[in-house]
Amino acid sequence: MKNSFKITFALAAIGTAAFMLYTMRRINAKRMIEKVSDEGYETAQDILFPGKKITETKLHFGPVFPG
């Protein structure tokens, strides 16, 4: 086998693993949000994700009061 084939194969494997990891995390986050919304709770991000630093984004789950 040529080295270029090995490198291409390794990069493809790394890319596939990264995509699968990203997809799994996204699915798990969606499930958690759906579970919280099904139970009728409005939970703050610091309670849902206690070890994660929250950055300010415009993503908002829940009611929005005009204001």
Side-chain angles (χ1 to χ4, degrees):
M1 289 184 168
K2 288 187 171 183
N3 283 340
S4 62
F5 179 74
K6 290 179 184 178
I7 292 172
T8 304
F9 183 74
L11 289 175
I14 291 170
T16 302
F19 178 74
M20 289 178 65
L21 182 64
Y22 167 76
T23 305
M24 293 297 287
R25 285 185 179 179
R26 189 170 169 210
I27 289 171
N28 288 338
K30 264 186 157 179
R31 283 183 186 158
M32 183 183 300
I33 290 168
E34 286 175 1
K35 180 181 176 188
V36 168
S37 68
D38 286 344
E39 292 176 356
Y41 296 121
E42 239 181 274
T43 310
Q45 291 291 319
D46 59 338
I47 295 172
L48 278 177
F49 307 103
K52 187 174 182 181
K53 182 178 177 184
I54 306 299
T55 58
E56 291 195 25
T57 62
K58 294 189 180 221
L59 182 63
H60 180 76
F61 297 100
V64 177
F65 299 108

